[in-house]
Amino acid sequence: MTECPRCGYKRQAEDSECPHCGTDFAYLEKKLAREREEIAEKELEKERASTRLSELIDRMSDDQLFSLLEYAEGLYGKKKREHERYSCLITTDCVYKSRAFNDFIKDISFGGVFIETNEAFSQGEEITLTISFSHYSKPFKITGEIVRVAPSGIGVKFKTVSQIQKELVQNLVKKVGEFKK
């Protein structure tokens, strides 16, 4: 004796239909078998996709890997950051290994910036930035560490050494955040 999966009524093994609720046991068994087959097929497709992705990733250059990572993080949300980031377009003068150039800050937070650039950089190196939000505010210098090198630019973590620098960065980020609202 078994129970009806729909109503729980105890039924006899020879019953093809539940005497209580009318559930067709043969139809239900076929439906469950189809569902199990569909689940197994989806798992197999997922396994094939994972294998193919692994093969492609193994052949990618570093730049392609970083691009793929950026894209994937965009799909699923970036890992939780310590500080909220704000998109922007702020010019910055950069000094790196005795070279000076001008690029754009693409996003900013209390902890750092992402600078869009085609220049060559090394992770872990120091960089000096001169930043101004507008021609009405006085530019300020701040040193940072290059913590990420991507095909589209670099991530820089601020190395604030004084309370004044902290306040300047906080005010700038606050202005950008207010401008975005």
Side-chain angles (χ1 to χ4, degrees):
M1 194 180 287
T2 59
E3 292 181 359
C4 172
R6 181 176 284 165
C7 70
Y9 187 80
K10 297 201 185 309
R11 67 177 180 109
Q12 301 296 322
E14 64 274 0
D15 289 342
S16 62
E17 190 175 282
C18 178
H20 185 256
C21 70
T23 298
D24 183 342
F25 298 126
Y27 170 78
L28 192 60
E29 283 299 320
K30 287 179 186 175
K31 181 180 175 186
L32 291 172
R34 274 193 313 271
E35 288 174 358
R36 286 190 293 268
E37 286 175 15
E38 287 173 7
I39 290 170
E41 184 62 33
K42 285 181 182 179
E43 286 297 316
L44 185 59
E45 286 177 30
K46 187 176 175 181
E47 190 175 314
R48 286 181 188 142
S50 292
T51 300
R52 181 68 179 133
L53 278 171
S54 292
E55 291 169 359
L56 292 171
I57 287 170
D58 287 342
R59 292 190 285 184
M60 286 183 175
S61 68
D62 289 346
D63 286 348
Q64 290 171 324
L65 279 172
F66 287 119
S67 292
L68 179 62
L69 178 61
E70 280 184 58
Y71 178 74
E73 286 177 337
L75 287 175
Y76 291 101
K78 297 199 185 310
K79 56 190 168 199
K80 189 163 175 78
R81 297 186 180 275
E82 187 177 345
H83 305 287
E84 185 175 357
R85 291 195 167 262
Y86 298 98
S87 294
C88 60
L89 190 61
I90 301 171
T91 60
T92 181
D93 294 319
C94 308
V95 176
Y96 172 73
K97 291 187 175 182
S98 302
R99 293 185 338 220
F101 49 93
N102 185 274
D103 277 311
F104 290 99
I105 295 173
K106 295 296 283 189
D107 66 52
I108 189 167
S109 75
F110 293 126
V113 293
F114 184 81
I115 300 172
E116 187 176 67
T117 184
N118 293 323
E119 301 288 329
F121 294 94
S122 298
Q123 193 169 329
E125 296 285 337
E126 195 171 275
I127 188 168
T128 302
L129 309 175
T130 302
I131 304 170
S132 176
F133 184 56
S134 69
H135 29 281
Y136 301 112
S137 62
K138 185 176 179 183
F140 67 94
K141 282 188 181 181
I142 190 163
T143 303
E145 177 187 348
I146 299 169
V147 293
R148 185 167 73 105
V149 177
S152 58
I154 56 171
V156 176
K157 181 179 179 180
F158 293 135
K159 287 182 166 182
T160 54
V161 292
S162 71
Q163 185 61 35
I164 293 171
Q165 281 183 319
K166 284 182 184 180
E167 288 175 14
L168 288 168
V169 169
Q170 288 173 344
N171 288 334
L172 176 60
V173 172
K174 197 174 182 180
K175 283 182 186 177
V176 171
E178 289 170 358
F179 183 73
K180 290 293 175 182
K181 289 181 181 178

